[in-house]
Amino acid sequence: MAELLTYVTTLSAALDLVALVVFIPWVLMTKKDATAAVAWCLVIVLLPLFGALLFWVFGYTHVGRPLSRVRRQRSAYRAKHPPRTQEAARGDEEDDDYATWSDLGRVARRVQAFPISQGNAVALYHDTRDAFASLLDAILRARHHVHLEFYILRSDPTTDALVAVLTKKAREGVEVRLLYDAMGCVQLRSRTLAPLREAGGRATAFLPLNPWRSRVQVNLRNHRKVVVVDGCVAFTGGMNVGDEYLGKDEYYGYWRDSFVRLEGPAAAGLQRVFAEDWDFATSEALNGDAYFPDLPRAGDSVVQVIASGPEQEVKSIREVYFAAILAARHHVWIASPYFVPDSGILDALRLARFRGVEVRLLTVLKPDHWLAYLAGRYYYTEVMEVGVEVYQYRKGMMHAKLLVADGRWAMVGSANMDNRSLHLSFEAGCVLHSPEDVAALEAQFRRDLKDAARLDADEFGRRPFLVRLTENACRLLSPLL
């Protein structure tokens, strides 16, 4: 028995040494952020085998085959299939013809956002039931194709309703392409999509979870929510597809989200986002007038589509958020269910308060992801110390992702104010440059505050020691959240 114990101890020590020798250099070579590198090194030093396993699963800056393939595929697609529409082909010099608040339209272009697009019709949905009904109505009107991209699809009546409409259109000869994230839809049953596939529609997973062929990627997930109908009507926002997103789950109750319907030239940007993701997942290139038709003026809204992902050296959405916070002179209002900012965003929020800018954060009271929620509570203290107002939504689940600044600029999309969205996931959204659209978002934000409770900084500071200790522990994982 003693010999066995000695053998096990020796083997464990040897494996710990191997983990340290292999994984510490790997962390140092792949982590650009010093805080993340230190956090991972400490985890591996204190818990060598377990820490190494965690890094293997969650080591998101490992630019391996999946990320390299994304870059290579997108580059090849863009070279072979350049933008066809006049709006998508515009250059920076034409963007200068339209002045945007604090020149943020041109800033967004510098970090790979789509061109500023005039002449759009924008419909903003703050109730997911209305958004879902509008989505189904647009699909029913499709004549050539329907393209859908979601992070989560549930096997429940809500998804069944969507699949039924898509199946109907596929049987009518409409091309239906559905792209879903493999990790987000890990519980999606194959029989849920079977009717669509049998009708001739196509449904494909983004970065499939196949450990036999490649390392399972817990990060690098496609968190986008994009729908494009006939290349001329498009949707994006924070809403996934499932019963809870329509307020049918007793635990969450009412589901507050934001969704945008676009009609006009800006729709080509969201079509382009889908086309590149579909090309990566299936190697089927979508181009031509059928997918990118000439889009006439449909309204008076000025819109700029933006997409970001881990394959980018400069994270587009993160940089635009950062620029908007720094540009604000009167107020910055943020809605996000998960608030785990990186050091730069945190400094920008502090600096905004030092300049006298009103900063309000609207977030969840009843979370669906406890780790991110507890880490976020640590940062509530950080920002409340400088006067940021933090509100927790009481009516139900706050899932909207938006930022509005000075009544002149806003962004709505799929990206939360957290590291995962801003650095690790593929995201998409719409920058709204028209004061009328921004005013509509601000009016809804004010209504939301009536259904929220403001945190008192002094009272919050007196929460129990064990709660604060747990929040600090979760905060150590903030580079992953």
Side-chain angles (χ1 to χ4, degrees):
M1 185 67 181
E3 292 180 357
L4 178 61
L5 183 59
T6 301
Y7 174 78
V8 172
T9 303
T10 303
L11 178 62
S12 176
L15 291 176
D16 286 349
L17 180 60
V18 170
L20 290 171
V21 170
V22 172
F23 281 86
I24 292 295
W26 188 9
V27 169
L28 296 176
M29 292 301 295
T30 59
K31 292 289 180 182
K32 294 183 179 180
D33 181 75
T35 303
V38 170
W40 275 115
C41 287
L42 285 174
V43 170
I44 294 171
V45 168
L46 296 174
L47 301 167
L49 290 179
F50 183 64
L53 177 62
L54 284 178
F55 186 75
W56 173 256
V57 176
F58 295 100
Y60 64 87
T61 55
H62 171 69
V63 184
R65 294 179 182 176
L67 211 53
S68 297
R69 189 159 62 90
V70 171
R71 291 171 174 166
R72 187 170 59 251
Q73 194 92 356
R74 291 204 195 291
S75 178
Y77 178 85
R78 292 169 183 174
K80 293 180 181 179
H81 307 284
R84 294 174 59 88
T85 65
Q86 180 181 0
E87 185 66 25
R90 288 171 51 186
D92 291 334
E93 67 280 357
E94 293 188 45
D95 287 337
D96 293 340
D97 294 339
Y98 190 89
T100 58
W101 174 74
S102 292
D103 207 24
L104 283 191
R106 190 149 57 108
V107 170
R109 285 290 286 142
R110 299 299 189 202
V111 293
Q112 301 180 41
F114 286 81
I116 300 166
S117 173
Q118 304 178 48
N120 299 282
V122 170
L124 296 167
Y125 298 97
H126 308 294
D127 187 296
T128 52
R129 292 164 296 186
D130 294 338
F132 192 67
S134 178
L135 185 64
L136 294 183
D137 179 69
I139 293 172
L140 285 170
R141 297 173 184 272
R143 293 293 177 264
H144 182 264
H145 65 267
V146 179
H147 293 158
L148 306 95
E149 182 172 355
F150 283 101
Y151 176 61
I152 292 176
L153 296 168
R154 302 293 191 200
S155 290
D156 61 20
T158 298
T159 301
D160 290 342
L162 174 63
V163 171
V165 172
L166 295 174
T167 300
K168 176 180 183 296
K169 300 308 294 185
R171 286 174 178 159
E172 293 174 1
V174 173
E175 297 176 8
V176 177
R177 296 177 178 88
L178 171 61
L179 185 62
Y180 58 92
D181 184 79
M183 183 62 72
C185 296
V186 68
Q187 296 180 336
L188 180 68
R189 302 185 187 98
S190 58
R191 68 171 180 264
T192 300
L193 300 179
L196 174 61
R197 291 184 170 120
E198 291 170 0
R202 298 185 61 186
T204 302
F206 187 91
L207 285 180
L209 305 178
N210 187 345
W212 300 108
R213 298 187 60 183
S214 62
R215 184 164 69 91
V216 173
Q217 295 291 334
V218 176
N219 296 305
L220 313 183
R221 304 319 313 180
N222 193 328
H223 194 242
R224 293 168 178 160
K225 295 88 176 172
V226 173
V227 178
V228 184
V229 177
D230 291 341
C232 58
V233 176
F235 297 81
T236 193
M239 182 184 71
N240 288 297
V241 182
D243 284 353
E244 71 265 39
Y245 298 100
L246 298 188
K248 298 179 181 179
D249 188 288
E250 291 184 3
Y251 174 77
Y252 299 113
Y254 179 76
W255 193 278
R256 167 70 179 90
D257 222 322
S258 290
F259 219 56
V260 181
R261 181 187 188 274
L262 295 177
E263 188 171 0
L270 288 174
Q271 179 80 303
R272 186 77 179 183
V273 171
F274 176 87
E276 292 188 1
D277 287 347
W278 184 260
D279 177 66
F280 169 73
T282 68
S283 297
E284 180 190 11
L286 304 175
N287 209 355
D289 293 339
Y291 302 108
F292 293 92
D294 290 333
L295 298 174
R297 185 182 185 90
D300 298 320
S301 292
V302 179
V303 178
Q304 196 168 15
V305 170
I306 186 168
S308 66
E311 84 281 10
Q312 295 178 329
E313 290 295 332
V314 177
K315 314 304 182 189
S316 300
I317 291 178
R318 187 266 180 199
E319 296 304 304
V320 171
Y321 274 163
F322 182 82
I325 295 169
L326 290 183
R329 293 294 178 266
H330 181 260
H331 64 265
V332 174
W333 295 348
I334 300 167
S336 176
Y338 320 118
F339 181 71
V340 188
D342 61 32
S343 59
I345 294 291
L346 193 61
D347 286 342
L349 292 172
R350 289 195 186 105
L351 184 58
R353 285 298 303 134
F354 295 156
R355 292 187 287 109
V357 175
E358 176 191 82
V359 181
R360 291 177 171 178
L361 169 66
L362 178 63
T363 188
V364 295
L365 176 63
K366 186 183 292 185
D368 58 343
H369 295 293
W370 280 94
L371 193 61
Y373 172 71
L374 290 170
R377 284 170 60 89
Y378 171 86
Y379 289 101
Y380 297 168
T381 301
E382 292 277 295
V383 296
M384 285 194 294
E385 286 178 351
V386 295
V388 173
E389 300 174 18
V390 179
Y391 296 83
Q392 292 183 299
Y393 193 69
R394 298 177 300 177
K395 186 177 178 180
M397 175 63 185
M398 165 51 65
H399 198 251
K401 303 98 163 49
L402 60 90
L403 187 152
V404 294
D406 286 3
R408 302 286 303 279
W409 184 96
M411 185 192 296
V412 180
S414 63
N416 299 300
M417 189 64 75
D418 65 5
N419 280 297
R420 181 168 293 276
S421 278
L422 302 184
H423 295 274
L424 309 181
S425 298
F426 296 90
E427 306 282 0
C430 289
V431 176
L432 304 177
H433 292 289
S434 296
E436 297 80 10
D437 296 325
V438 179
L441 282 176
E442 290 198 340
Q444 180 59 44
F445 193 95
R446 292 189 184 94
R447 288 191 290 269
D448 291 334
L449 291 185
K450 295 178 181 178
D451 294 313
R454 181 178 175 182
L455 284 178
D456 181 87
D458 293 334
E459 182 179 347
F460 189 71
R462 293 192 294 270
R463 63 199 186 282
F465 170 77
L466 286 179
V467 172
R468 288 184 282 119
L469 182 63
T470 302
E471 293 165 359
N472 269 274
C474 293
R475 184 257 308 185
L476 293 179
L477 296 175
S478 61
L480 293 174
L481 301 176

